[in-house]
């Protein structure tokens, strides 16, 4: 029985890969070099493109042609695509399925593999989902078409969606657009690679950093919305029913201008009329305008107290700090409620079922992400053995941080889940009160302790996610923008650095840090607001980029 299941798994994976290859091969007109017109389209502002389609709807076909070429070239370099929908996108334009009078008229949009599009699988990187295509578009796809956007490709994810890598048996391994030995991020990693290599706008989801990590790793822009601001229905997931730390779908883009325009246009489409979970909050232009101009009081979170930022990530934060100070903004040191407590609560709340739900879709012999496999293995160890290990870590290794995370790493009963929920709400209240007393407009933080990790690196770094995960737990709006690149001359570890002195979480992250090998990888910074402050965070990201001036991050040139 197990052997038959494995053989079916391999057949299904081969079928999807062959199907993708055939779809790409059939797009003969998309395989040529970029024309002058293509480059003009890629370089134009999103406002210009939309206005031109409003005046001449036939231009939407030209946009699809240009970005179709971008997608195929990006895929050839990074293996970022899953479902290739370009042929059907041509039909949607021809038959009037797309409203070319909308605020996103003619703009091709890429989608995380989990987003439902009629006639296309949402495999989520597991073979059991192959053939699960629905007859009708999901709500997000409906809204996009009503807004005039053209869904044209779906992008790769990690199996289980619980990783900062993007690899699975169905679609293979996606690579970083700057260095093929590294991951583009996860779980929306294929999206990060495509956007870095010339894609325009995209949609991903984020439960622990899954749109912000790819932005940091791949050198793009993303915004994690608060729950209720973006649609959540019309998607597939690896963990249906999980609500300890809710996932939220959110926008990603190649430039900040695109990210802001896309988010504004999406919310102007009144998503609450498509999805019961969305709050009826129109776009607040006055907030966007106010925070685009005012002098800011910014709290700086230099470390989460669990994993200090690596030299490259520390330097990116300091570059941002210096630029903001020079622009006249007030930077203040902060002492917020314990980020370690947030990591502890979020880790348990996301995995109260012992990862049973995420693992239930895997077939026998199906490859699992090494980080998730590590979490699952420890979750299933007999409790007496785990307790002995906890004692050894705490009292022999004298590592209370790592020991604290290991102590209760087992499936939680209903009573324990309610206790965790109560602790989560109390923790949120602590942050609410602290923010009021700190009187700050936003935070700036590293998005992660290190730049992109090498492939299979999540085996060691799986617990190093606190800088993003914290703000999922709090449900705060947070955006990431690229600032600089790893520099092997500037970002070496100190000469007296000793890995053995670090706690267990930090050791996992720093095992992978190598400024020589990472040279040239992007490094970003995270801007954090409070709940439902999307307009404010985007405006402040604009102020950060303005402050960086001529030193702002240069996007990749299109080949």
């Amino acid at each position: 029985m197990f052997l038959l299941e494995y053989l079916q798994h391999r057949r299904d994976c081969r079928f999807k890969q062959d199907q993708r290859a055939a779809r790409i091969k059939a797009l003969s007109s998309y395989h040529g070099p970029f024309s002058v017109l293509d480059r003009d389209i890629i370089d134009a502002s999103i406002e210009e493109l939309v206005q031109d389609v409003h005046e001449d709807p036939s231009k939407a076909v030209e946009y699809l042609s240009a970005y179709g070429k971008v997608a195929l070239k990006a895929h050839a370099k990074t293996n970022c695509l899953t479902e290739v929908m370009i042929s059907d996108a041509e039909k949607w334009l021809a038959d009037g399925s797309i409203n070319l009078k909308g605020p996103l008229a003619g703009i091709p949009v890429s989608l995380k593999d989990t987003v439902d599009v009629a006639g296309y699988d949402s495999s989520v990187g597991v073979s059991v989902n192959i053939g699960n295509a629905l007859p009708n578009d999901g709500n997000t796809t409906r809204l996009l078409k009503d807004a005039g956007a053209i869904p044209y490709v779906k992008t790769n994810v990690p199996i289980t969606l619980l990783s900062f890598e993007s690899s699975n048996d169905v679609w293979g391994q996606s690579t970083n657009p700057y260095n093929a030995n590294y991951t583009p991020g996860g779980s929306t990693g294929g999206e990060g690679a495509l956007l870095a290599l010339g894609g325009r706008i995209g949609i991903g989801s984020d439960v622990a950093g899954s749109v912000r990590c790819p932005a940091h790793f791949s050198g793009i822009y993303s915004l994690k919305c608060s729950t209720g601001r973006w649609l959540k229905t019309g998607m597939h997931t690896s963990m249906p029913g999980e609500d300890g730390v809710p996932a939220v779908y959110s926008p990603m883009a190649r430039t900040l201008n695109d990210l802001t325009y896309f988010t504004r246009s999406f919310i102007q489409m009144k998503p609450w009329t498509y999805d019961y979970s969305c709050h009826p909050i129109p776009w607040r232009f006055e907030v966007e305008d106010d925070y685009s101009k005012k002098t800011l009081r910014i709290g700086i979170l230099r470390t989460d107290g669990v994993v200090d930022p690596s030299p490259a990530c520390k330097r990116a934060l300091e570059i941002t700090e210096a630029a903001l100070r020079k622009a006249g903004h007030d930077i203040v040191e902060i002492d917020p409620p314990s980020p370690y407590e947030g990591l502890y609560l979020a880790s348990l709340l996301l995995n109260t079922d012992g990862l049973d739900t995420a693992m239930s879709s895997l077939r026998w012999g199906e490859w699992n992400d090494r980080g998730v496999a590590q979490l699952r293995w420890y979750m299933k160890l007999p409790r007496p053995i785990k307790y002995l290990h906890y004692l050894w870590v705490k009292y022999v290794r004298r590592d209370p941080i790592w020991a604290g995370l290991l102590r209760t790493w087992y499936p939680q009963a209903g009573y324990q889940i309610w206790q965790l929920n109560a602790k989560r709400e109390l923790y949120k209240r602590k942050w609410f009160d602290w923010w009021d007393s700190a009187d700050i407009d936003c935070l700036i933080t590293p998005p992660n302790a290190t730049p992109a990790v090498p492939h299979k690196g999540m085996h060691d770094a799986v617990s190093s996610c606190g800088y993003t995960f914290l703000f999922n737990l709090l449900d705060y709006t947070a955006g990431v923008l690229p600032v600089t690149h790893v520099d092997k001359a500037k970002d070496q570890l100190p000469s007296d650095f000793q890995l053995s002195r670090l706690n267990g979480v930090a050791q996992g992250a720093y095992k992978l840090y190598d400024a020589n090998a990472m040279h040239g990888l992007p490094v970003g910074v995270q801007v954090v607001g409070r709940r439902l402050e999307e307009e404010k965070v985007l405006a402040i990201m604009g102020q950060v980029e303005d402050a960086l001036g001529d030193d702002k991050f240069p996007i990749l040139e299109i080949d």
Side-chain angles (χ1 to χ4, degrees):
M1 176 181 174
F2 292 136
L3 178 60
L4 291 176
E5 184 175 64
Y6 176 71
L7 292 174
Q8 185 61 50
H9 164 68
R10 297 310 307 165
R11 282 193 293 270
D12 287 343
C13 292
R14 176 52 55 193
F15 167 74
K16 289 306 292 184
Q17 291 170 20
D18 288 348
Q19 182 187 63
R20 176 179 61 182
R23 286 173 176 167
I24 291 173
K25 184 178 180 180
L27 296 167
S28 55
S29 65
Y30 291 82
H31 289 282
F34 290 121
S35 66
V36 174
L37 176 60
D38 293 333
R39 292 187 181 277
D40 287 344
I41 291 168
I42 293 166
D43 293 338
S45 73
I46 195 168
E47 294 95 336
E48 289 178 85
L49 295 178
V50 170
Q51 183 59 42
D52 286 349
V53 170
H54 286 167
E55 294 173 0
D56 180 2
S58 68
K59 288 187 179 293
V61 176
E62 297 172 356
Y63 298 177
L64 179 60
S65 175
Y67 284 101
K69 289 179 184 178
V70 165
L72 298 193
K73 290 179 186 295
H75 178 70
K77 183 173 182 177
T78 64
N79 189 49
C80 58
L81 304 184
T82 58
E83 301 288 348
V84 179
M85 307 181 291
I86 295 171
S87 292
D88 275 333
E90 293 174 338
K91 296 174 185 174
W92 298 330
L93 284 173
D95 67 16
S97 298
I98 294 172
N99 171 29
L100 295 180
K101 295 297 183 183
L104 293 170
I107 304 299
V109 57
S110 45
L111 307 171
K112 189 172 186 172
D113 187 73
T114 54
V115 179
D116 291 334
V117 179
Y120 289 90
D121 292 344
S122 297
S123 70
V124 198
V126 291
S127 66
V128 73
N129 285 338
I130 292 171
N132 73 350
L134 299 175
N136 299 308
D137 288 330
N139 289 333
T140 292
T141 303
R142 285 200 306 116
L143 186 153
L144 288 169
K145 289 182 176 180
D146 289 347
I150 311 168
Y152 72 124
V153 291
K154 296 173 75 172
T155 54
N156 204 17
V157 297
I159 191 167
T160 74
L161 304 181
L162 295 173
S163 178
F164 285 169
E165 300 186 54
S166 288
S167 182
N168 56 77
D169 281 348
V170 178
W171 302 111
Q173 176 178 272
S174 295
T175 61
N176 190 288
Y178 287 81
N179 186 331
N181 295 320
Y182 287 79
T183 174
S187 62
T188 320
E191 200 66 41
L194 171 57
L195 293 169
L197 290 167
R200 195 87 211 196
I201 54 176
I203 293 178
S205 65
D206 193 310
V207 76
S210 295
V211 301
R212 288 163 292 158
C213 168
H216 174 54
F217 285 10
S218 292
I220 64 161
Y221 299 76
S222 69
L223 179 74
K224 183 202 79 70
C225 299
S226 295
T227 55
R229 207 74 201 274
W230 204 273
L231 278 72
K232 75 173 185 179
T233 57
M235 327 287 189
H236 276 71
T237 178
S238 62
M239 300 175 73
E242 187 283 310
D243 65 354
V245 184
V248 57
Y249 277 80
S250 294
M252 306 168 73
R254 187 169 183 241
T255 70
L256 182 57
N257 179 60
D258 285 355
L259 184 70
T260 302
Y261 183 92
F262 179 31
T263 309
R264 185 192 304 126
S265 298
F266 193 95
I267 291 176
Q268 285 181 290
M269 289 296 296
K270 300 181 179 179
W272 55 90
T273 65
Y274 292 79
D275 184 338
Y276 67 88
S277 71
C278 288
H279 302 311
I281 304 174
W283 187 258
R284 294 165 292 197
F285 287 94
E286 70 283 0
V287 174
E288 182 184 10
D289 184 62
D290 182 28
Y291 282 94
S292 295
K293 300 172 182 175
K294 70 176 289 188
T295 300
L296 302 168
R297 178 176 163 86
I298 299 171
I300 184 166
L301 182 67
R302 298 188 186 278
T303 177
D304 66 356
V306 180
V307 189
D308 290 340
S310 60
C313 296
K314 180 182 178 184
R315 183 169 61 85
L317 186 64
E318 290 172 347
I319 288 171
T320 306
E321 176 190 8
L324 288 167
R325 287 187 188 278
K326 186 176 179 181
H329 300 291
D330 187 16
I331 307 294
V332 297
E333 303 296 332
I334 59 169
D335 184 22
S338 166
Y340 172 68
E341 182 183 355
L343 177 62
Y344 169 81
L345 289 171
S347 299
L348 278 178
L349 283 160
L350 184 63
N351 298 289
T352 52
D353 70 337
L355 291 130
D356 285 349
T357 305
M359 298 297 296
S360 65
S361 297
L362 273 66
R363 285 169 161 166
W364 188 85
E366 191 162 8
W367 178 87
N368 192 9
D369 176 85
R370 291 187 67 190
V372 176
Q374 183 88 336
L375 295 176
R376 173 74 168 182
W377 174 79
Y378 200 85
M379 185 73 81
K380 293 302 181 182
L381 274 180
R383 295 272 285 276
I385 294 175
K386 267 195 285 205
Y387 185 65
L388 290 174
H389 182 234
Y390 155 75
L391 293 175
W392 180 80
V393 171
K394 184 171 182 178
Y395 295 108
V396 179
R397 280 188 53 181
R398 299 190 179 186
D399 183 352
I401 287 178
W402 189 225
L405 294 174
L406 297 176
R407 177 69 182 89
T408 52
W409 190 249
Y410 48 76
Q412 306 292 301
Y415 170 71
Q416 294 163 319
I417 294 171
W418 283 26
Q419 287 183 315
L420 285 169
N421 288 341
K423 290 177 181 177
R424 177 193 60 203
E425 297 310 300
L426 178 61
Y427 184 71
K428 287 181 178 181
R429 180 57 188 262
K430 288 180 185 177
W431 267 84
F432 181 89
D433 292 340
W434 170 80
W435 195 298
D436 277 350
S437 66
D439 189 28
I440 53 175
D441 293 306
C442 70
L443 297 175
I444 55 172
T445 84
N448 196 54
T450 69
V453 299
H455 298 298
K456 300 182 174 59
M458 290 306 291
H459 175 270
D460 296 308
V462 66
S463 299
S464 179
C465 56
Y467 289 100
T468 48
F469 206 3
L470 171 63
F471 302 110
N472 294 92
L473 180 72
L474 296 170
D475 199 22
Y476 283 4
T477 306
V480 168
L481 67 158
V483 173
T484 188
H485 300 87
V486 179
D487 187 321
K488 61 186 178 183
K490 299 177 180 178
D491 298 326
Q492 296 292 335
L493 290 167
S495 58
D496 61 350
F497 174 80
Q498 291 185 29
L499 188 69
S500 61
R501 291 180 180 174
L502 305 180
N503 66 66
V505 182
Q507 284 189 24
Y510 272 84
K511 277 182 185 178
L512 309 174
Y513 184 76
D514 182 340
N516 293 322
M518 291 175 165
H519 181 75
L521 285 174
V523 190
V525 70
Q526 181 173 217
V527 176
V528 182
R530 301 177 86 170
R531 179 165 151 72
L532 299 169
E533 291 190 338
E534 287 73 22
E535 297 91 340
K536 173 181 170 181
V537 169
L538 285 167
I540 294 174
M541 289 170 72
Q543 290 233 47
V544 171
E545 193 154 87
D546 288 344
L548 291 169
D550 293 339
D551 294 327
K552 80 173 188 177
F553 188 86
I555 59 177
L556 273 176
E557 294 293 326
I558 305 302
D559 295 334

